[in-house]
Amino acid sequence: MLTLGIETSCDETSAAVVRAGRDILSNVILSQAVHTRFGGVIPEVASREHVKAIVPIYQQALEEAGVTITDIKLVAATMGPGLVGPLLVGLSFAKGLAYARNVPFVPVNHLEGHLAANVLEHQDLDKHHLTLIVSGGHTMLVEVKSFGEYLLLGRTRDDAAGEAFDKVAKLMGLGYPGGAALDKLASTGNPRYFRFPRAVMKDDFQFSYSGLKTAVALYLKKLDPNELAERKADIAASFQEAVVDVLTVKTLRAMEATGVRHVTVSGGVAANSRLRLRLREEVEARGGRLYYPSLALCTDNAAMIAAAGFYNFEKHGPGELIANAIPNLKLV
Ligand code: KG4
Ligand code: ZN
């Protein structure tokens, strides 16, 4: 069964064709460059860019997959969480297409899409696993009993991990969104150059990044410009280490508390090279297995939405065409 996936929750316009929730035939992603000059996503601008891009991106996805619209048997689109204008563009397009072609439609939770990226790519992943979702808007630890059955273990009290990366990257003049640039810079720095605070005191699964962000901001403010220029990579590596430390400690704690040995990490920050390495080492040292998506499936993309839509369709059948965009949609 071929599924067409559509993703427009933030500033990526994406369309993908996926066979049976397993094989990606195409996954076209357009990242809107227009926002870089504002240092953040402007929702109204993003909506307009999605309107311009959605049809050509959809056509390109069919073309790259070597199929036509008559081959598509299921249409899936992100309904939330995300920015309401951008969500409505993709959702309305997908619903219209499903209606016109008389094929079933499934609305998808974007966070379930991130989680599904690992199910899509790793055949040997246990149905019952732990997942760490770390993106620009979310940081959460979830026990996945099976696809669709979730137990929330913990989430961030304030900033998301990706948000912390973006804010610190901005302070350091690395552009927006700066997570990937900071990762690259940090790879040449010393993670022990300065010890930034880690919010790991309490024996729970909650996260907090606003204190760390403020600590870095104050540190940078006090620094003389020469030291900043000389030590930029060391500061980036030290900040990154603090984020990765907390994510690792809490994930290991969840492994211990639940006894679940298969762990996945997903979302944009799952692309972070230090996080991938540390988590893999630590999880494997405790007899577990760590799974992460390939880089293209970490950040927002429609292949993960097509896969999540397909798994949902298998379990519950088609969704309703009256499905609306829900900006603050929860996973659990
Ligand atoms: O999942 P995503 O594409 O969008 C949301 O659903 O939020 O995640 C985007 C986030 C941004 O904050 C971006 O800076 C971060 O993921 N990111 C990274 C890396 N690549 C992307 N953060 C750290 N290291 C990276 N390599
Ligand atoms: Zn995302």
Side-chain angles (χ1 to χ4, degrees):
M1 183 180 213
L2 293 188
T3 307
L4 172 76
I6 300 286
E7 155 64 37
T8 61
S9 66
C10 191
D11 57 341
E12 265 90 25
T13 316
S14 181
V17 178
V18 176
R19 181 183 289 122
R22 282 281 171 219
D23 303 319
I24 302 176
L25 305 191
S26 66
N27 188 22
V28 183
I29 306 164
L30 175 78
S31 289
Q32 301 175 355
V34 48
H35 306 289
T36 49
R37 81 177 113 118
F38 303 116
V41 177
I42 311 288
E44 184 53 28
V45 175
S47 305
R48 287 164 197 266
E49 293 292 310
H50 285 305
V51 170
K52 275 194 259 170
I54 189 77
V55 173
I57 292 294
Y58 149 75
Q59 285 168 335
Q60 195 180 333
L62 291 184
E63 206 173 290
E64 285 186 16
V67 301
T68 66
I69 185 60
T70 53
D71 299 314
I72 299 295
K73 301 296 179 227
L74 179 68
V75 178
T78 307
M79 72 180 303
L83 302 168
V84 69
L87 282 168
L88 279 170
V89 178
L91 192 66
S92 309
F93 176 79
K95 289 196 292 187
L97 192 64
Y99 181 71
R101 302 301 315 174
N102 198 23
V103 294
F105 165 76
V106 182
V108 174
N109 182 314
H110 180 82
L111 298 169
E112 192 168 49
H114 276 304
L115 183 160
N118 280 300
V119 182
L120 164 66
E121 285 198 301
H122 306 296
Q123 308 249 0
D124 57 337
L125 170 65
D126 275 354
K127 274 201 170 91
H128 185 189
H129 61 270
L130 285 181
T131 188
L132 172 69
I133 304 177
V134 268
S135 69
H138 295 84
T139 301
M140 55 203 300
L141 257 172
V142 176
E143 183 178 346
V144 180
K145 304 258 187 187
S146 69
F147 196 83
E149 206 189 330
Y150 309 119
L151 185 71
L152 178 69
L153 301 176
R155 59 158 49 107
T156 181
R157 294 172 192 280
D158 39 60
D159 292 355
E163 204 176 343
F165 266 99
D166 292 338
K167 285 178 177 168
V168 168
K170 202 168 171 183
L171 288 172
M172 298 184 76
L174 298 172
Y176 179 90
L182 198 146
D183 181 359
K184 195 162 169 235
L185 178 66
S187 66
T188 62
N190 172 11
R192 285 186 199 85
Y193 176 69
F194 187 83
R195 191 174 167 84
F196 289 112
R198 278 103 164 121
V200 283
M201 304 297 285
K202 290 205 195 75
D203 195 19
D204 62 14
F205 307 110
Q206 310 299 325
F207 300 92
S208 168
Y209 288 108
S210 68
L212 172 62
K213 176 195 65 192
T214 309
V216 178
L218 289 174
Y219 180 87
L220 290 173
K221 219 174 185 176
K222 283 194 210 141
L223 216 59
D224 85 72
N226 290 336
E227 193 181 352
L228 176 60
E230 252 171 54
R231 296 294 184 176
K232 217 170 175 180
D234 295 332
I235 297 164
S238 299
F239 157 75
Q240 179 175 268
E241 200 65 9
V243 177
V244 169
D245 260 359
V246 178
L247 292 173
T248 306
V249 166
K250 304 270 171 163
T251 305
L252 297 176
R253 197 177 274 173
M255 242 180 109
E256 200 175 298
T258 58
V260 179
R261 287 284 167 267
H262 278 202
V263 181
T264 74
V265 54
S266 63
V269 183
N272 186 266
S273 56
R274 184 73 185 138
L275 179 65
R276 287 161 95 96
L277 188 76
R278 268 291 296 286
L279 264 184
R280 168 150 284 168
E281 279 174 5
E282 304 273 4
V283 166
E284 285 183 357
R286 284 157 186 80
R289 289 210 58 179
L290 181 80
Y291 299 85
Y292 43 70
S294 53
L295 287 178
L297 291 198
C298 286
T299 42
D300 292 348
N301 68 88
M304 68 183 196
I305 302 301
F310 176 77
Y311 307 145
N312 269 308
F313 181 75
E314 273 190 318
K315 270 199 152 174
H316 308 294
E320 302 274 354
L321 283 174
I322 54 165
N324 205 351
I326 306 180
N328 60 354
L329 185 66
K330 300 273 181 286
L331 180 69
V332 264

